[in-house]
Structures are given as structure tokens and as C-alpha cells.
Amino acid sequence: QLQASGGGLVQAGGSLRLSCAGSGRPNYVMGWFRQAPGKQREFVAGITWNWGTTVYADSVKGRFTISRDKAKRMVYLQMNTLKAEDTAVYYCTTRSGDISTKTSEYGYWGQGTLVTVSS
């Protein structure tokens, strides 16, 4: 569970789509975070399972899109116009309640997937 996949090496300006198996539970949210080498883990995007409400970090707005497929219980992160600074290990996570941008408010973390953007 919470196994992120879809990472890889891509050139700047390119695209990748990350996937993660969702909880499928009502009143839960799914979030994507990332951690670059030597930096703290940071919020990227979140989505509510029930209504599909989304929240994005300013750094990815207009480039990344988070979505969920209820039937498949999957969450996706479509990443377009990738930049070198998007290079990081990406993690998906979940919590009950509202979308939070704080790492400390998520208790379930899976193995991340590495995204490397070459400039």
C-alpha cells in the first residue's frame, strides 16, 4: 500500500505521471510530497477522496495535476513542464480529514519513487 510508482529520468520540459494505490476510504485525503537531496520533505499536492478537491504547492501550480480514480482506487500526479528543481523522491501519503500541507500530519508513508529531471 501507498507504493508510489512511475518515476524516472526525464529531460527538462518533459512529463511524467506518478501513480499510487489509494485508500478508497471516504473522508480521507491523498497527498503527494517530495524530498530532494539535503532538503526537507515538502508538500506537492493533495486531493480529497470524496469530492476531488485539490490543493497545490505554489511551485507546481499550473504544471502538476493530482487526480483520483475511485473505481481503481488509484491516485495520480501528472507532472508537466518538469524542471531540474523538481528532482526528488516523491511519496504518496494519506490522512483522514482535510488536506494538510504539513508532513507531520500524515502518518502513513510508502516507499517513494525517484524523479530525476536533467537540464
Side-chain angles (χ1 to χ4, degrees):
Q1 292 187 353
L2 297 183
Q3 174 68 51
S5 62
L9 174 64
V10 64
Q11 289 187 335
S15 299
L16 280 175
R17 189 178 80 156
L18 306 183
S19 301
C20 176
S23 67
R25 298 179 181 180
N27 302 320
Y28 270 65
V29 305
M30 298 296 298
W32 286 98
F33 283 71
R34 66 186 181 187
Q35 188 166 16
K39 295 187 177 181
Q40 291 186 335
R41 194 169 298 188
E42 64 176 4
F43 174 80
V44 174
I47 188 167
T48 60
W49 195 258
N50 277 351
W51 303 108
T53 303
T54 58
V55 175
Y56 295 94
D58 287 343
S59 59
V60 306
K61 278 182 182 177
R63 300 188 298 122
F64 291 11
T65 302
I66 187 172
S67 62
R68 86 266 191 255
D69 184 324
K70 284 188 169 182
K72 296 181 178 179
R73 294 188 178 183
M74 293 293 293
V75 178
Y76 304 100
L77 185 68
Q78 178 66 43
M79 306 186 296
N80 298 328
T81 319
L82 283 161
K83 304 176 181 179
E85 50 263 44
D86 294 319
T87 295
V89 176
Y90 284 71
Y91 300 88
C92 67
T93 183
T94 187
R95 69 186 298 270
S96 62
D98 298 330
I99 297 171
S100 172
T101 62
K102 298 178 180 179
T103 306
S104 60
E105 296 189 353
Y106 292 83
Y108 299 93
W109 298 92
Q111 188 172 356
T113 186
L114 177 62
V115 173
T116 304
V117 184
S118 63
S119 58

